[in-house]
Each structure stands twice: as C-alpha cells, then as structure tokens.
Amino acid sequence: MRDSESFPGLHAWLDTPLGRYVMAWEAARFDAQVADIFGYNAVQLGVPELDFLRANRMPFRFRAGAGNVGVETDYAALPFAAGSLDLVVLPHVLEFAANPHQVLREVERVLVPEGHVVIAGFNPASLFGVKRMLAGKTGCYPWRGQYLSLRRLKDWLALLSFETGSQASGCFLPAVEQPQWLERLRGLDWAGDRWWPIGGGVYVIHAIKRVQGIRLIMPKWDRKAGARALAPLVQKAGGQPGSPGMRLDAGDDTPRP
C-alpha cells in the first residue's frame, strides 16, 4: 500500500471537531442509501474508522484498504473477482487516489450487473472548496487532493455504464475547527439545504451498474409473399376454380378432362 493510497492525514482529521461533524452527516446519508440494497457481498473502501455498511443487511460485509481492515489492498487493483460484489461504498477515496478513474474502473469490474456504488466526496464548489484553494498544494488533509465536482463524477460514471440515482449535499458551514463556531453556524445547514442545495461541503451519490441486454433481431417477413408461397395448388375447371372433372397439368395452361 502506497502512502498516497492510505491517506494518514485524513484519518487524523476525522478526530477533529470538524471531521466528526462531517462524518456524522455522511454516516446518516450512507445509512439511508445502503439500508435497502440487497445481495450477498458488500465492501467499504476507505475510512476504516467508521462503518458505513452498518445499516446494510447483506450476509457478508467487510472493509478493505489500509489500516484496521479485513483486506489490505490498492484501490486501483482490487483483489476481487469480476462480478463478485453487490455493493461498494467509497467514502473519500477518489479525491486523494493517485488515479481516481482507475479506481472507478476497478469498482465497475468487481460489481455484478445491477450492482451498486455509493460515493462520498468533498465538493469543490463550496466553502470547503474555497478552503482547499487557499491552502494550496502544501495544505494538510483534507485540504489537498483532487476534489471532484458532482457533474464531473457523473460524467465518469456514465462512461463506465453507471446510472446515477439519488444524491445529497450537506455541511454548508465554513471550514472552522473550533467547536463553539461549529455550533453557532449550524443555521447555515438549514439555509444552505433550502437555498443552495448543491453547495454543501460534502456530497453522497448513489449509482447502479447497468449492463445492456441482448435483443434478438428477427427478419421482417413479407406476410403476403409468405401466404402466397404456402397457398395450395388451385384446381381449375373451364378456367373457373372448383369445377369437377378438370385438372391443370404442370407447364400447360390448357384445361383437360
């Protein structure tokens, strides 16, 4: 596991007042998203300190990545068979991964058809995004990395044949670390959710892996031609069909007794 894949600074930030505030909001959103997703196997990639699969009822749920996890892995090369997982949750992996698009490709590979992925990320078009811009490249976690907008993430998912579903944005407060200021500014969450619903500091989005079915294309038959080909040989008598005692010899147009 490379250092760029383990995000040690992010894990330390989770224990700050702002980190706990963000994780509490995300945990509630993940609970709502995964509660009614059914299957057999579910995996959480990233943020092993929290269990974002706790509300899910699949028989086999585990965490993978670095740290206190069931499976240690590189997010860009998952050690799971293709089409073996029903649900993957990605809390804050893509914005700090060295190759986020490859991580999504791996998620698409290991998911079954109609499998689900739930992603949490930091929103660049928010007060958190402003904090990241001011921090620059030398900023500490989580004010670094490549924040992905919802629009860009949806484009990536569409290229991998995912259909995006519900999404939520929250944590509209500025990136302040003092508990007293977090408490005083709580009203911004209500105002932001009402007046600027896409401007939250973090978002959670749900997507489903779609696989196009095979459609059998049948030839377009000419019904009239088919009916003519199946019509019985017409008996003729005196040029009129149905007259007894007369027949039409093959290759001869003359009626004979």
Side-chain angles (χ1 to χ4, degrees):
M1 179 69 64
R2 299 189 300 270
D3 289 340
S4 60
E5 300 281 354
S6 59
F7 321 141
L10 177 62
H11 306 318
W13 177 79
L14 296 178
D15 199 33
T16 66
L18 182 59
R20 289 192 294 269
Y21 156 73
V22 170
M23 290 300 110
W25 182 88
E26 289 186 6
R29 304 287 91 67
F30 271 106
D31 288 349
Q33 290 286 351
V34 306
D36 295 325
I37 297 177
F38 300 100
Y40 297 97
N41 303 306
V43 63
Q44 173 181 325
L45 301 177
V47 191
E49 294 85 356
L50 298 174
D51 184 6
F52 290 118
L53 292 171
R54 62 188 181 184
N56 186 261
R57 289 168 281 180
M58 293 189 194
F60 190 47
R61 307 183 303 272
F62 63 100
R63 279 167 272 186
N68 186 21
V69 294
V71 177
E72 187 165 337
T73 179
D74 185 335
Y75 300 128
L78 299 176
F80 311 122
S84 61
L85 299 175
D86 300 282
L87 169 64
V88 176
V89 297
L90 283 170
H92 300 289
V93 169
L94 298 179
E95 56 260 64
F96 304 118
N99 191 343
H101 203 277
Q102 175 60 27
V103 175
L104 277 182
R105 279 194 292 264
E106 279 293 280
V107 170
E108 189 277 334
R109 180 185 66 82
V110 301
L111 279 175
V112 300
E114 305 302 309
H116 301 256
V117 59
V118 184
I119 302 169
F122 289 105
N123 182 11
S126 68
L127 295 177
F128 281 21
V130 173
K131 170 74 173 183
R132 172 182 169 268
M133 291 177 61
L134 295 175
K137 295 182 179 180
T138 59
C140 60
Y141 283 97
W143 318 119
R144 62 185 302 175
Q146 180 181 345
Y147 286 13
L148 301 175
S149 67
L150 270 172
R151 181 175 181 179
R152 186 177 185 186
L153 181 55
K154 287 180 179 180
D155 288 343
W156 285 10
L157 289 168
L159 288 173
L160 294 171
S161 299
F162 281 96
E163 178 183 317
T164 53
S166 60
Q167 63 188 55
S169 178
C171 302
F172 295 86
L173 280 65
V176 295
E177 296 288 351
Q178 296 79 10
Q180 62 271 24
W181 280 107
L182 288 173
E183 192 61 34
R184 289 175 184 175
L185 296 172
R186 289 276 184 177
L188 293 178
D189 281 341
W190 178 87
D193 191 54
R194 182 178 178 86
W195 303 110
W196 193 27
I198 62 171
V202 292
Y203 57 78
V204 173
I205 183 171
H206 171 220
I208 303 174
K209 175 182 173 179
R210 299 300 191 190
V211 177
Q212 297 298 324
I214 299 176
R215 181 171 178 266
L216 184 62
I217 301 177
M218 298 295 293
K220 186 177 180 181
W221 297 103
D222 186 338
R223 294 185 178 181
K224 292 183 179 180
R228 288 196 299 268
L230 297 176
L233 181 67
V234 178
Q235 297 287 335
K236 289 187 179 180
Q240 297 296 325
S243 299
M246 302 298 291
R247 65 185 177 85
L248 183 65
D249 289 340
D252 191 349
D253 291 336
T254 304
R256 299 182 186 279

CSV table of all heavy atoms in Angstrom, one decimal, residues 193-240:
chain,number,residue,atom,x,y,z
A,193,ASP,N,-29.3,24.0,2.7
A,193,ASP,CA,-30.1,22.9,2.2
A,193,ASP,C,-31.4,23.5,1.5
A,193,ASP,O,-31.9,22.9,0.5
A,193,ASP,CB,-30.5,22.0,3.3
A,193,ASP,CG,-31.2,20.7,2.8
A,193,ASP,OD1,-30.6,20.1,1.9
A,193,ASP,OD2,-32.3,20.4,3.2
A,194,ARG,N,-31.9,24.6,1.9
A,194,ARG,CA,-33.1,25.2,1.3
A,194,ARG,C,-32.8,26.1,0.1
A,194,ARG,O,-33.5,26.0,-0.9
A,194,ARG,CB,-33.8,26.0,2.4
A,194,ARG,CG,-35.1,26.7,1.9
A,194,ARG,CD,-35.7,27.4,3.1
A,194,ARG,NE,-37.0,28.1,2.7
A,194,ARG,CZ,-38.2,27.5,2.7
A,194,ARG,NH1,-38.3,26.3,3.0
A,194,ARG,NH2,-39.2,28.2,2.3
A,195,TRP,N,-31.7,26.9,0.2
A,195,TRP,CA,-31.5,27.8,-0.9
A,195,TRP,C,-30.3,27.5,-1.8
A,195,TRP,O,-30.2,28.1,-2.9
A,195,TRP,CB,-31.2,29.2,-0.2
A,195,TRP,CG,-32.3,29.7,0.7
A,195,TRP,CD1,-32.3,29.8,2.0
A,195,TRP,CD2,-33.6,30.0,0.3
A,195,TRP,NE1,-33.5,30.2,2.5
A,195,TRP,CE2,-34.4,30.4,1.4
A,195,TRP,CE3,-34.3,30.1,-1.0
A,195,TRP,CZ2,-35.7,30.8,1.4
A,195,TRP,CZ3,-35.6,30.6,-1.0
A,195,TRP,CH2,-36.3,30.9,0.2
A,196,TRP,N,-29.4,26.6,-1.4
A,196,TRP,CA,-28.2,26.3,-2.2
A,196,TRP,C,-27.9,24.8,-2.1
A,196,TRP,O,-26.9,24.5,-1.5
A,196,TRP,CB,-27.0,27.2,-1.8
A,196,TRP,CG,-25.9,27.2,-2.7
A,196,TRP,CD1,-25.9,27.0,-4.0
A,196,TRP,CD2,-24.5,27.4,-2.4
A,196,TRP,NE1,-24.6,27.0,-4.6
A,196,TRP,CE2,-23.8,27.3,-3.5
A,196,TRP,CE3,-23.8,27.6,-1.2
A,196,TRP,CZ2,-22.4,27.4,-3.6
A,196,TRP,CZ3,-22.5,27.8,-1.2
A,196,TRP,CH2,-21.7,27.7,-2.4
A,197,PRO,N,-28.8,24.0,-2.5
A,197,PRO,CA,-28.7,22.5,-2.2
A,197,PRO,C,-27.5,21.8,-2.8
A,197,PRO,O,-27.1,20.7,-2.3
A,197,PRO,CB,-30.0,21.9,-2.8
A,197,PRO,CG,-30.5,22.9,-3.8
A,197,PRO,CD,-30.0,24.3,-3.3
A,198,ILE,N,-26.9,22.4,-3.8
A,198,ILE,CA,-25.7,21.8,-4.4
A,198,ILE,C,-24.4,22.4,-3.8
A,198,ILE,O,-23.3,22.0,-4.3
A,198,ILE,CB,-25.7,21.9,-5.9
A,198,ILE,CG1,-25.6,23.4,-6.3
A,198,ILE,CG2,-26.9,21.2,-6.5
A,198,ILE,CD1,-25.4,23.6,-7.8
A,199,GLY,N,-24.5,23.2,-2.8
A,199,GLY,CA,-23.3,23.9,-2.4
A,199,GLY,C,-22.7,23.4,-1.1
A,199,GLY,O,-21.9,24.1,-0.4
A,200,GLY,N,-23.1,22.2,-0.6
A,200,GLY,CA,-22.6,21.7,0.6
A,200,GLY,C,-21.1,21.3,0.5
A,200,GLY,O,-20.6,21.0,-0.6
A,201,GLY,N,-20.4,21.3,1.6
A,201,GLY,CA,-19.0,20.9,1.6
A,201,GLY,C,-18.7,19.5,1.2
A,201,GLY,O,-17.7,19.2,0.6
A,202,VAL,N,-19.7,18.6,1.4
A,202,VAL,CA,-19.5,17.2,1.0
A,202,VAL,C,-20.8,16.7,0.3
A,202,VAL,O,-21.9,17.3,0.5
A,202,VAL,CB,-19.2,16.3,2.2
A,202,VAL,CG1,-17.8,16.6,2.8
A,202,VAL,CG2,-20.2,16.4,3.3
A,203,TYR,N,-20.7,15.6,-0.4
A,203,TYR,CA,-21.9,15.1,-1.1
A,203,TYR,C,-21.8,13.5,-1.0
A,203,TYR,O,-20.7,13.0,-0.8
A,203,TYR,CB,-21.9,15.5,-2.6
A,203,TYR,CG,-20.7,15.2,-3.4
A,203,TYR,CD1,-20.5,13.9,-3.9
A,203,TYR,CD2,-19.8,16.2,-3.7
A,203,TYR,CE1,-19.4,13.6,-4.7
A,203,TYR,CE2,-18.7,15.9,-4.5
A,203,TYR,CZ,-18.5,14.6,-5.0
A,203,TYR,OH,-17.4,14.3,-5.7
A,204,VAL,N,-22.9,12.9,-1.2
A,204,VAL,CA,-23.0,11.5,-1.3
A,204,VAL,C,-23.9,11.2,-2.5
A,204,VAL,O,-25.0,11.7,-2.6
A,204,VAL,CB,-23.6,10.9,0.0
A,204,VAL,CG1,-23.9,9.4,-0.2
A,204,VAL,CG2,-22.7,11.1,1.2
A,205,ILE,N,-23.4,10.3,-3.3
A,205,ILE,CA,-24.2,10.0,-4.6
A,205,ILE,C,-24.2,8.4,-4.7
A,205,ILE,O,-23.3,7.7,-4.4
A,205,ILE,CB,-23.5,10.6,-5.8
A,205,ILE,CG1,-24.3,10.3,-7.1
A,205,ILE,CG2,-22.1,10.2,-6.0
A,205,ILE,CD1,-23.9,11.1,-8.3
A,206,HIS,N,-25.3,8.0,-5.2
A,206,HIS,CA,-25.6,6.5,-5.5
A,206,HIS,C,-25.7,6.3,-6.9
A,206,HIS,O,-26.3,7.0,-7.7
A,206,HIS,CB,-26.9,6.2,-4.8
A,206,HIS,CG,-27.4,4.8,-5.1
A,206,HIS,ND1,-28.7,4.5,-5.3
A,206,HIS,CD2,-26.8,3.6,-5.2
A,206,HIS,CE1,-28.9,3.2,-5.5
A,206,HIS,NE2,-27.7,2.7,-5.5
A,207,ALA,N,-25.1,5.2,-7.4
A,207,ALA,CA,-25.1,4.8,-8.8
A,207,ALA,C,-25.3,3.3,-9.0
A,207,ALA,O,-24.9,2.6,-8.1
A,207,ALA,CB,-23.9,5.3,-9.6
A,208,ILE,N,-25.8,2.9,-10.1
A,208,ILE,CA,-26.1,1.5,-10.4
A,208,ILE,C,-25.4,1.1,-11.7
A,208,ILE,O,-25.5,1.8,-12.7
A,208,ILE,CB,-27.6,1.2,-10.5
A,208,ILE,CG1,-28.3,1.6,-9.2
A,208,ILE,CG2,-27.9,-0.3,-10.8
A,208,ILE,CD1,-29.8,1.5,-9.3
A,209,LYS,N,-24.7,-0.1,-11.6
A,209,LYS,CA,-24.1,-0.6,-12.8
A,209,LYS,C,-25.1,-1.2,-13.8
A,209,LYS,O,-25.8,-2.2,-13.4
A,209,LYS,CB,-23.0,-1.6,-12.5
A,209,LYS,CG,-22.3,-2.3,-13.6
A,209,LYS,CD,-21.4,-3.3,-13.2
A,209,LYS,CE,-20.8,-4.2,-14.3
A,209,LYS,NZ,-19.8,-5.2,-13.9
A,210,ARG,N,-25.2,-0.6,-14.9
A,210,ARG,CA,-26.2,-1.1,-15.9
A,210,ARG,C,-25.4,-1.9,-17.0
A,210,ARG,O,-24.4,-1.5,-17.5
A,210,ARG,CB,-26.9,0.1,-16.6
A,210,ARG,CG,-27.8,0.9,-15.6
A,210,ARG,CD,-28.8,0.1,-14.9
A,210,ARG,NE,-29.8,0.9,-14.2
A,210,ARG,CZ,-30.7,0.5,-13.4
A,210,ARG,NH1,-30.8,-0.8,-13.1
A,210,ARG,NH2,-31.5,1.3,-12.7
A,211,VAL,N,-26.0,-3.0,-17.4
A,211,VAL,CA,-25.5,-3.9,-18.5
A,211,VAL,C,-26.5,-4.0,-19.5
A,211,VAL,O,-27.6,-4.5,-19.2
A,211,VAL,CB,-25.0,-5.2,-17.9
A,211,VAL,CG1,-24.5,-6.1,-19.1
A,211,VAL,CG2,-23.9,-5.1,-16.9
A,212,GLN,N,-26.2,-3.6,-20.7
A,212,GLN,CA,-27.2,-3.7,-21.8
A,212,GLN,C,-27.5,-5.2,-22.1
A,212,GLN,O,-26.6,-6.0,-22.3
A,212,GLN,CB,-26.7,-3.0,-23.0
A,212,GLN,CG,-26.5,-1.5,-22.8
A,212,GLN,CD,-27.8,-0.8,-22.5
A,212,GLN,OE1,-28.9,-1.1,-23.0
A,212,GLN,NE2,-27.7,0.3,-21.6
A,213,GLY,N,-28.8,-5.5,-22.2
A,213,GLY,CA,-29.2,-6.9,-22.5
A,213,GLY,C,-29.1,-7.1,-24.0
A,213,GLY,O,-29.0,-6.2,-24.8
A,214,ILE,N,-29.1,-8.4,-24.4
A,214,ILE,CA,-29.0,-8.8,-25.8
A,214,ILE,C,-30.4,-8.9,-26.3
A,214,ILE,O,-31.3,-9.6,-25.8
A,214,ILE,CB,-28.3,-10.2,-25.9
A,214,ILE,CG1,-26.9,-10.1,-25.4
A,214,ILE,CG2,-28.3,-10.7,-27.4
A,214,ILE,CD1,-26.2,-11.4,-25.4
A,215,ARG,N,-30.7,-8.2,-27.4
A,215,ARG,CA,-32.0,-8.2,-28.1
A,215,ARG,C,-31.9,-8.9,-29.4
A,215,ARG,O,-31.2,-8.6,-30.3
A,215,ARG,CB,-32.5,-6.8,-28.3
A,215,ARG,CG,-33.9,-6.6,-28.9
A,215,ARG,CD,-34.3,-5.2,-28.9
A,215,ARG,NE,-35.6,-5.1,-29.5
A,215,ARG,CZ,-35.8,-4.7,-30.8
A,215,ARG,NH1,-34.8,-4.5,-31.5
A,215,ARG,NH2,-37.0,-4.6,-31.3
A,216,LEU,N,-32.7,-10.0,-29.5
A,216,LEU,CA,-32.8,-10.8,-30.7
A,216,LEU,C,-33.5,-10.0,-31.8
A,216,LEU,O,-34.7,-9.7,-31.6
A,216,LEU,CB,-33.4,-12.1,-30.5
A,216,LEU,CG,-33.4,-13.1,-31.6
A,216,LEU,CD1,-32.0,-13.5,-32.0
A,216,LEU,CD2,-34.2,-14.4,-31.3
A,217,ILE,N,-32.9,-9.8,-32.9
A,217,ILE,CA,-33.5,-9.0,-34.0
A,217,ILE,C,-34.0,-10.1,-35.1
A,217,ILE,O,-33.2,-10.8,-35.7
A,217,ILE,CB,-32.5,-8.0,-34.7
A,217,ILE,CG1,-32.0,-7.0,-33.6
A,217,ILE,CG2,-33.1,-7.3,-35.9
A,217,ILE,CD1,-31.0,-6.1,-34.1
A,218,MET,N,-35.3,-10.2,-35.3
A,218,MET,CA,-35.9,-11.1,-36.2
A,218,MET,C,-36.0,-10.5,-37.6
A,218,MET,O,-36.2,-9.2,-37.7
A,218,MET,CB,-37.2,-11.5,-35.7
A,218,MET,CG,-37.2,-12.3,-34.4
A,218,MET,SD,-36.3,-13.8,-34.5
A,218,MET,CE,-37.4,-14.8,-35.5
A,219,PRO,N,-35.9,-11.3,-38.7
A,219,PRO,CA,-36.1,-10.7,-40.0
A,219,PRO,C,-37.5,-10.3,-40.2
A,219,PRO,O,-38.5,-10.8,-39.6
A,219,PRO,CB,-35.8,-11.9,-41.0
A,219,PRO,CG,-36.0,-13.1,-40.1
A,219,PRO,CD,-35.6,-12.7,-38.7
A,220,LYS,N,-37.7,-9.2,-41.0
A,220,LYS,CA,-39.0,-8.7,-41.3
A,220,LYS,C,-39.6,-9.4,-42.5
A,220,LYS,O,-39.3,-9.1,-43.6
A,220,LYS,CB,-38.9,-7.2,-41.5
A,220,LYS,CG,-40.3,-6.5,-41.7
A,220,LYS,CD,-40.1,-5.0,-41.8
A,220,LYS,CE,-41.5,-4.3,-42.0
A,220,LYS,NZ,-41.3,-2.8,-42.1
A,221,TRP,N,-40.5,-10.4,-42.2
A,221,TRP,CA,-41.0,-11.2,-43.3
A,221,TRP,C,-42.1,-10.4,-44.0
A,221,TRP,O,-42.9,-9.7,-43.4
A,221,TRP,CB,-41.6,-12.5,-42.7
A,221,TRP,CG,-40.6,-13.4,-42.1
A,221,TRP,CD1,-40.4,-13.6,-40.8
A,221,TRP,CD2,-39.6,-14.2,-42.8
A,221,TRP,NE1,-39.4,-14.5,-40.5
A,221,TRP,CE2,-38.9,-14.9,-41.8
A,221,TRP,CE3,-39.3,-14.4,-44.1
A,221,TRP,CZ2,-37.9,-15.8,-42.1
A,221,TRP,CZ3,-38.3,-15.3,-44.4
A,221,TRP,CH2,-37.6,-16.0,-43.4
A,222,ASP,N,-42.2,-10.7,-45.3
A,222,ASP,CA,-43.4,-10.2,-46.1
A,222,ASP,C,-44.5,-11.2,-46.0
A,222,ASP,O,-44.5,-12.3,-46.5
A,222,ASP,CB,-42.9,-10.1,-47.6
A,222,ASP,CG,-44.0,-9.4,-48.5
A,222,ASP,OD1,-45.2,-9.4,-48.0
A,222,ASP,OD2,-43.7,-8.9,-49.6
A,223,ARG,N,-45.5,-10.8,-45.2
A,223,ARG,CA,-46.6,-11.7,-44.9
A,223,ARG,C,-47.4,-12.1,-46.2
A,223,ARG,O,-47.8,-13.3,-46.3
A,223,ARG,CB,-47.6,-11.0,-43.9
A,223,ARG,CG,-47.0,-10.8,-42.5
A,223,ARG,CD,-48.0,-10.3,-41.6
A,223,ARG,NE,-47.4,-10.1,-40.3
A,223,ARG,CZ,-48.1,-9.7,-39.2
A,223,ARG,NH1,-49.4,-9.4,-39.3
A,223,ARG,NH2,-47.5,-9.5,-38.0
A,224,LYS,N,-47.5,-11.2,-47.1
A,224,LYS,CA,-48.3,-11.5,-48.3
A,224,LYS,C,-47.5,-12.5,-49.2
A,224,LYS,O,-48.1,-13.5,-49.7
A,224,LYS,CB,-48.6,-10.3,-49.1
A,224,LYS,CG,-49.6,-9.4,-48.4
A,224,LYS,CD,-49.9,-8.1,-49.3
A,224,LYS,CE,-50.9,-7.2,-48.6
A,224,LYS,NZ,-51.2,-6.0,-49.5
A,225,ALA,N,-46.2,-12.3,-49.2
A,225,ALA,CA,-45.4,-13.3,-50.0
A,225,ALA,C,-45.4,-14.6,-49.4
A,225,ALA,O,-45.4,-15.7,-50.0
A,225,ALA,CB,-43.9,-12.7,-50.1
A,226,GLY,N,-45.3,-14.7,-48.0
A,226,GLY,CA,-45.3,-15.9,-47.3
A,226,GLY,C,-46.6,-16.6,-47.5
A,226,GLY,O,-46.7,-17.9,-47.7
A,227,ALA,N,-47.7,-15.9,-47.5
A,227,ALA,CA,-49.1,-16.5,-47.7
A,227,ALA,C,-49.2,-17.1,-49.1
A,227,ALA,O,-49.7,-18.2,-49.3
A,227,ALA,CB,-50.1,-15.5,-47.5
A,228,ARG,N,-48.6,-16.4,-50.1
A,228,ARG,CA,-48.6,-16.9,-51.5
A,228,ARG,C,-47.8,-18.2,-51.6
A,228,ARG,O,-48.2,-19.1,-52.3
A,228,ARG,CB,-48.1,-15.8,-52.5
A,228,ARG,CG,-49.1,-14.7,-52.7
A,228,ARG,CD,-48.7,-13.9,-53.9
A,228,ARG,NE,-47.4,-13.3,-53.8
A,228,ARG,CZ,-47.1,-12.1,-53.3
A,228,ARG,NH1,-48.1,-11.3,-52.8
A,228,ARG,NH2,-45.9,-11.7,-53.2
A,229,ALA,N,-46.7,-18.2,-50.9
A,229,ALA,CA,-45.8,-19.4,-51.0
A,229,ALA,C,-46.4,-20.6,-50.4
A,229,ALA,O,-46.2,-21.7,-50.8
A,229,ALA,CB,-44.5,-19.1,-50.4
A,230,LEU,N,-47.3,-20.4,-49.4
A,230,LEU,CA,-47.9,-21.5,-48.7
A,230,LEU,C,-49.3,-21.9,-49.3
A,230,LEU,O,-49.9,-22.8,-48.8
A,230,LEU,CB,-48.0,-21.2,-47.2
A,230,LEU,CG,-46.7,-21.0,-46.5
A,230,LEU,CD1,-47.0,-20.6,-45.1
A,230,LEU,CD2,-45.9,-22.3,-46.5
A,231,ALA,N,-49.8,-21.2,-50.3
A,231,ALA,CA,-51.1,-21.4,-50.8
A,231,ALA,C,-51.1,-22.8,-51.6
A,231,ALA,O,-50.2,-23.1,-52.3
A,231,ALA,CB,-51.5,-20.3,-51.8
A,232,PRO,N,-52.2,-23.6,-51.5
A,232,PRO,CA,-52.3,-24.9,-52.2
A,232,PRO,C,-52.5,-24.7,-53.7
A,232,PRO,O,-52.9,-23.6,-54.1
A,232,PRO,CB,-53.5,-25.5,-51.5
A,232,PRO,CG,-54.4,-24.4,-51.1
A,232,PRO,CD,-53.4,-23.3,-50.7
A,233,LEU,N,-52.2,-25.7,-54.4
A,233,LEU,CA,-52.4,-25.7,-55.9
A,233,LEU,C,-53.9,-25.6,-56.2
A,233,LEU,O,-54.7,-26.4,-55.6
A,233,LEU,CB,-51.8,-27.0,-56.5
A,233,LEU,CG,-51.9,-27.1,-58.0
A,233,LEU,CD1,-51.0,-26.1,-58.7
A,233,LEU,CD2,-51.5,-28.5,-58.4
A,234,VAL,N,-54.2,-24.6,-57.0
A,234,VAL,CA,-55.7,-24.4,-57.3
A,234,VAL,C,-56.1,-25.3,-58.4
A,234,VAL,O,-55.5,-25.3,-59.5
A,234,VAL,CB,-55.9,-22.9,-57.6
A,234,VAL,CG1,-57.3,-22.6,-58.0
A,234,VAL,CG2,-55.4,-22.0,-56.5
A,235,GLN,N,-57.1,-26.1,-58.2
A,235,GLN,CA,-57.7,-26.9,-59.3
A,235,GLN,C,-58.6,-26.0,-60.1
A,235,GLN,O,-59.2,-25.1,-59.6
A,235,GLN,CB,-58.6,-28.0,-58.6
A,235,GLN,CG,-57.9,-29.0,-57.8
A,235,GLN,CD,-57.0,-29.9,-58.6
A,235,GLN,OE1,-57.3,-30.2,-59.8
A,235,GLN,NE2,-56.0,-30.4,-58.0
A,236,LYS,N,-58.5,-26.1,-61.4
A,236,LYS,CA,-59.3,-25.3,-62.3
A,236,LYS,C,-60.1,-26.2,-63.2
A,236,LYS,O,-59.7,-27.3,-63.6
A,236,LYS,CB,-58.3,-24.5,-63.2
A,236,LYS,CG,-57.6,-23.4,-62.5
A,236,LYS,CD,-56.8,-22.5,-63.4
A,236,LYS,CE,-56.2,-21.4,-62.7
A,236,LYS,NZ,-55.4,-20.5,-63.6
A,237,ALA,N,-61.3,-25.7,-63.5
A,237,ALA,CA,-62.2,-26.3,-64.5
A,237,ALA,C,-62.8,-25.3,-65.4
A,237,ALA,O,-63.5,-24.4,-64.9
A,237,ALA,CB,-63.2,-27.1,-63.7
A,238,GLY,N,-62.5,-25.3,-66.6
A,238,GLY,CA,-63.1,-24.3,-67.5
A,238,GLY,C,-62.7,-22.9,-67.2
A,238,GLY,O,-63.4,-22.0,-67.4
A,239,GLY,N,-61.5,-22.8,-66.6
A,239,GLY,CA,-61.0,-21.5,-66.2
A,239,GLY,C,-61.5,-21.0,-64.9
A,239,GLY,O,-61.2,-19.9,-64.5
A,240,GLN,N,-62.5,-21.8,-64.3
A,240,GLN,CA,-63.1,-21.4,-63.0
A,240,GLN,C,-62.6,-22.4,-62.0
A,240,GLN,O,-62.8,-23.6,-62.2
A,240,GLN,CB,-64.6,-21.4,-63.1
A,240,GLN,CG,-65.1,-20.4,-64.1
A,240,GLN,CD,-64.8,-19.0,-63.7
A,240,GLN,OE1,-64.7,-18.7,-62.5
A,240,GLN,NE2,-64.5,-18.1,-64.7
